[in-house]
Amino acid sequence: MDNSMKKRWISLYVENQVGVLSKISGLFSGKSYNLDSLTVGTTEDPTVSRMTIATVSDDETFEQIKKQLNRMVEVIKVIDFTNVFVRMKEILYVKVQKCTLEEKTELFQIAETFKARVIDYGRDSVLLEFVQTATKNDAVVKLMKEEFKNLEVVRGGSVGIESISMMER
């Protein structure tokens, strides 16, 4: 088995109950693995939630984690998204404050280039919303940090669903 560390994606259907999130995140922290992203929301069935989790691990540990998740009473289904065609997006908000007119113009150009929405606008500030892959959001954050001084960044975790066609993230 290849023992190299790599990014892993997993999706879980779980019972929508108090304490389930804590138990699942505890499983990862007990193995000393950081969760890069964890997103939870109810599904079409209000008694079931779906979690999307990103972590970095080797094959052996990841297999152990999946087995332990499958043994949990509250877990209905475990889906390994690591090597599957998936539609996956993350929401990112970037607020830039104390902007000059020139900087505002550049922000509008960045928004257009990256298909972001300007969702709020003030005399000297702009709030942008990006809904794209985590990798693209990483690039946006890097660019924005290089170009602007007064920024605030908020990211939601990625959510994913198996693709119908053979398109990747």
Side-chain angles (χ1 to χ4, degrees), residues 6 25 40 43 46 56 92 108 117 130-131 136 162 168:
K6 71 177 191 180
S25 62
V40 187
T43 63
V56 175
L92 163 70
F108 276 82
R117 291 180 357 158
F130 300 82
V131 179
K136 285 183 182 172
E162 288 178 76
E168 285 191 79

Side-chain angles (χ1 to χ4, degrees), residues 106-120:
E106 186 176 352
L107 283 164
F108 276 82
Q109 288 172 342
I110 288 169
E112 191 175 325
T113 302
F114 287 93
K115 296 183 175 82
R117 291 180 357 158
V118 176
I119 60 166
D120 204 357

Side-chain angles (χ1 to χ4, degrees), residues 28-43:
F28 282 84
S29 65
K31 292 271 180 210
S32 297
Y33 277 96
N34 188 38
L35 295 172
D36 291 340
S37 172
L38 174 91
T39 308
V40 187
T42 54
T43 63

Side-chain angles (χ1 to χ4, degrees), residues 90-92 130 132-141 155:
E90 172 191 81
I91 193 162
L92 163 70
F130 300 82
Q132 52 195 8
T133 64
T135 306
K136 285 183 182 172
N137 280 343
D138 289 342
V140 166
V141 171
R155 294 175 84 156

